[in-house]
Amino acid sequence: MGKNQGHSDNLMLLEKTDKLFIDIEKNGGLTDEEERVTKRIVRRGNKLIDEFEKEKERRIREREIEKFGS
């Protein structure tokens, strides 16, 4: 997947998310249980994103060390 494809996928995901939240607001919002589940999903998603970013930074550092030394 190229850099632009990832950006395009992210934009589509944001648009779908925006539509979802508009639909939720129109239908009176979330129940308490739905809100708890949603918060749990978001926390897990944020954790995965953080782990991905840390791994990406680690790989970049490894490549820099390979190219330029420590």
Side-chain angles (χ1 to χ4, degrees):
M1 171 178 12
K3 196 176 203 175
N4 290 337
Q5 180 63 40
H7 178 72
S8 176
D9 291 347
N10 290 342
L11 187 57
M12 280 183 15
L13 184 59
L14 285 172
E15 290 170 353
K16 288 180 181 181
T17 303
D18 189 46
K19 183 184 179 320
L20 178 64
F21 280 109
I22 290 170
D23 291 346
I24 289 170
E25 286 177 2
K26 285 180 183 176
N27 293 324
L30 299 172
T31 65
D32 289 344
E33 178 65 19
E34 289 169 332
E35 189 171 336
R36 281 192 296 276
V37 170
T38 302
K39 286 179 181 179
R40 189 176 328 131
I41 291 167
V42 169
R43 279 194 305 270
R44 288 181 184 170
N46 286 338
K47 182 179 177 185
L48 289 172
I49 290 168
D50 289 344
E51 290 172 3
F52 172 79
E53 290 297 326
K54 286 178 186 176
E55 178 65 17
K56 189 167 87 173
E57 289 173 15
R58 184 188 65 76
R59 289 181 182 183
I60 290 170
R61 282 193 303 274
E62 282 180 357
R63 275 187 254 139
E64 289 174 349
I65 289 171
E66 287 174 6
K67 284 183 184 177
F68 307 111
S70 58

